[in-house]
Amino acid sequence: GQQLNQSPQSMFIQEGEDVSMNCTSSSIFNTWLWYKQDPGEGPVLLIALYKAGELTSNGRLTAQFGITRKDSFLNISASIPSDVGIYFCAGRRGNTPLVFGKGTRLSVIA
Amino acid sequence: DTGVSQNPRHKITKRGQNVTFRCDPISEHNRLYWYRQTLGQGPEFLTYFQNEAQLEKSRLLSDRFSAERPKGSFSTLEIQRTEQGDSAMYLCASSRAWAGRTEAFFGQGTRLTVV
């Protein structure tokens, strides 16, 4: 099935560093969602974006809906060990079901 | 709000057996989705319901797969004559569409291992 292009695939960072990851699509989306998944668990919703250019924060997390409507970015500031996990972007066109990226695996070195 | 609940959490079955998974969505959510996730991949859409109507099925959903949502509440996903390639995490999500906003919330998943 169709998937979004998510990068980087994995990141190793020091505790306290900021993190940036992004997601791109060849198609225009009208909704972008960001999820975090821990091993053996389901994805947990972090941020939802509904308008081109929208910038939304959730604590140390900030996400943006790209103005081209074909991309989205997630930033994590001052990373901590519990930020470890896999981050997924997901997009939707119209009323279609969500399409997911392959994820960015984040590892934090204390 | 008790969240999306999936049962069982884990299932090990022999090839050729039938399995059934259950999903209880968040109570006021009218949409329910099934996804499948294999190692190193993001969730892949299988099918979704709006109330009791099954509105879309992915080409990933072979004839051996069937999903139901009687009365628009809980849903079941059945896999008949399981194959080793069916081994995956099966995820259920629910959402309530309003004012164009459709955040989907996931359950903890059912991990299926076919031996």
Side-chain angles (χ1 to χ4, degrees), chain B residues 76-97:
Chain B
T76 57
L77 178 68
E78 181 183 19
I79 309 174
Q80 296 183 324
R81 305 181 303 282
T82 52
E83 302 172 357
Q84 286 189 319
D86 296 332
S87 296
M89 173 82 94
Y90 289 83
L91 293 163
C92 174
S94 71
S95 70
R96 177 171 64 100

Side-chain angles (χ1 to χ4, degrees), chain A residues 63-103:
Chain A
Q64 183 160 26
F65 193 138
I67 56 173
T68 66
R69 297 172 65 191
K70 291 184 177 182
D71 56 8
S72 180
F73 305 86
L74 176 70
N75 296 316
I76 305 173
S77 63
S79 57
I80 59 177
S82 62
D83 291 334
V84 164
I86 304 178
Y87 291 80
F88 289 100
C89 61
R92 174 184 284 122
R93 291 191 306 276
N95 221 16
T96 60
L98 288 172
V99 174
F100 281 79
K102 291 190 176 185

Side-chain angles (χ1 to χ4, degrees), chain A residues 36-79:
Chain A
K36 178 176 183 272
Q37 187 174 30
D38 292 327
E41 302 292 328
V44 174
L45 181 64
L46 300 173
I47 292 180
L49 301 159
Y50 294 100
K51 282 199 284 193
E54 181 180 355
L55 188 72
T56 298
S57 293
N58 178 7
R60 294 177 297 107
L61 277 62
T62 302
Q64 183 160 26
F65 193 138
I67 56 173
T68 66
R69 297 172 65 191
K70 291 184 177 182
D71 56 8
S72 180
F73 305 86
L74 176 70
N75 296 316
I76 305 173
S77 63
S79 57

